[in-house]
Amino acid sequence: MAYWPNVYTICASLVCDDSNQVLDGDDNPIEGLHAAGNAGGSFFGYYCPVSGFSAAGVSHALVGGPLAAASALGKTLDDLPKA
């Protein structure tokens, strides 16, 4: 069985605020546009540690998806139903 390295996280993506709302070139939120996972940038700020963080992209999606959905609905994560 052969094993091949994979990269699960990308560093170049959209710039988002704390609610995963996409920001324009002047750092203003774009109304109604949210992103999550690899598309929702700013997860690592300006530093992207690719090696050693193979699950970082998955965790970014697992946290960023609900956060972006809640924000799009005008809510916070605390407002969402608990599993």
Side-chain angles (χ1 to χ4, degrees), residues 17-30:
D17 63 11
D18 293 343
S19 301
N20 277 26
Q21 190 166 2
V22 179
L23 304 177
D24 65 16
D26 295 321
D27 290 333
N28 298 311
I30 299 173

Side-chain angles (χ1 to χ4, degrees), residues 2-22:
Y3 291 93
W4 300 96
N6 290 296
V7 176
Y8 297 106
T9 302
I10 60 172
C11 298
S13 56
L14 301 169
V15 176
C16 299
D17 63 11
D18 293 343
S19 301
N20 277 26
Q21 190 166 2
V22 179

Side-chain angles (χ1 to χ4, degrees), residues 2-83:
Y3 291 93
W4 300 96
N6 290 296
V7 176
Y8 297 106
T9 302
I10 60 172
C11 298
S13 56
L14 301 169
V15 176
C16 299
D17 63 11
D18 293 343
S19 301
N20 277 26
Q21 190 166 2
V22 179
L23 304 177
D24 65 16
D26 295 321
D27 290 333
N28 298 311
I30 299 173
E31 187 67 31
L33 184 59
H34 294 77
N38 281 338
S42 310
F43 190 63
F44 295 108
Y46 293 102
Y47 172 70
C48 186
V50 173
S51 62
F53 288 89
S54 62
V58 174
S59 62
H60 190 186
L62 291 173
V63 173
L67 181 62
S71 179
L73 295 170
K75 300 184 180 298
T76 68
L77 288 178
D78 291 331
D79 297 325
L80 298 178
K82 307 300 183 251

